[in-house]
């Protein structure tokens, strides 16, 4: 009886420790990912002329989900509105086009306004 009680107490402590460690890991990973997105946005705002296409894709995927069209020369993302700003990006020599970076920044601003209500 005492052995069973000790075993069950150990399992509870182990499970709580495991859950606490898992929560800490997930929280750290989320903050690291969010800070990466925030750093990229700050970079885009300060210099939209020198943006890697792959970085722009990361940000678009974060805010808009996977593109509804890709594989051609464009990645087209779905937005909750019908017209501009569109989220339609295109690679040119490994970089994103400046006007498209600006459109993405406008779209992100609009998405955040809609979320804030």
């Amino acid at each position: 009886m005492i052995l069973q009680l000790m075993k069950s107490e150990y399992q509870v402590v182990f499970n709580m420790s495991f859950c606490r460690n898992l929560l800490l890991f997930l929280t750290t990973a989320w903050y690291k990912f969010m800070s990466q997105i925030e750093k990229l946005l700050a970079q885009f705002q300060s210099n939209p002329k020198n943006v890697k296409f792959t970085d722009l894709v990361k940000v678009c995927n974060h805010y808009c989900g996977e593109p509804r069209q890709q594989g051609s020369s464009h990645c087209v993302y779905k937005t909750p509105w019908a017209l501009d700003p569109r989220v339609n990006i295109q690679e040119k020599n490994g970089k994103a086009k400046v006007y498209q970076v600006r459109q993405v920044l406008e779209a992100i601003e609009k998405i955040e306004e809609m979320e804030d209500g």
Side-chain angles (χ1 to χ4, degrees):
M1 178 84 164
I2 294 174
L3 185 59
Q4 285 180 333
L5 184 59
M6 288 175 55
K7 184 179 178 184
S8 66
E9 286 177 5
Y10 173 76
Q11 287 175 336
V12 168
V13 168
F14 174 76
N15 287 339
M16 287 176 62
S17 176
F18 174 77
C19 290
R20 189 173 30 252
N21 288 339
L22 180 61
L23 181 62
L24 180 64
F25 169 77
L26 292 174
T27 303
T28 304
W30 183 79
Y31 278 119
K32 185 176 180 181
F33 177 73
M34 285 306 294
S35 66
Q36 180 186 24
I37 296 296
E38 289 169 357
K39 286 177 191 174
L40 289 173
L41 282 175
Q43 177 189 359
F44 297 173
Q45 290 166 343
S46 68
N47 187 8
K49 295 179 183 178
N50 192 21
V51 173
K52 291 181 190 174
F53 181 75
T54 55
D55 288 343
L56 189 62
V57 169
K58 284 179 196 174
V59 170
C60 289
N61 286 348
H62 174 76
Y63 281 96
C64 301
E66 292 294 316
R68 65 180 172 88
Q69 175 188 335
Q70 78 185 77
S72 64
S73 62
H74 291 77
C75 291
V76 181
Y77 291 88
K78 190 172 185 175
T79 56
W81 57 84
L83 300 173
D84 291 333
R86 293 188 177 108
V87 180
N88 179 356
I89 60 175
Q90 184 178 18
E91 182 176 8
K92 184 176 181 182
N93 300 323
K95 301 287 182 188
K97 293 187 173 188
V98 178
Y99 77 94
Q100 292 174 345
V101 173
R102 289 189 181 119
Q103 286 176 337
V104 168
L105 290 171
E106 287 177 33
I108 289 169
E109 201 173 300
K110 189 169 183 176
I111 288 169
E112 289 177 343
E113 285 174 5
M114 291 172 73
E115 287 176 354
D116 291 341

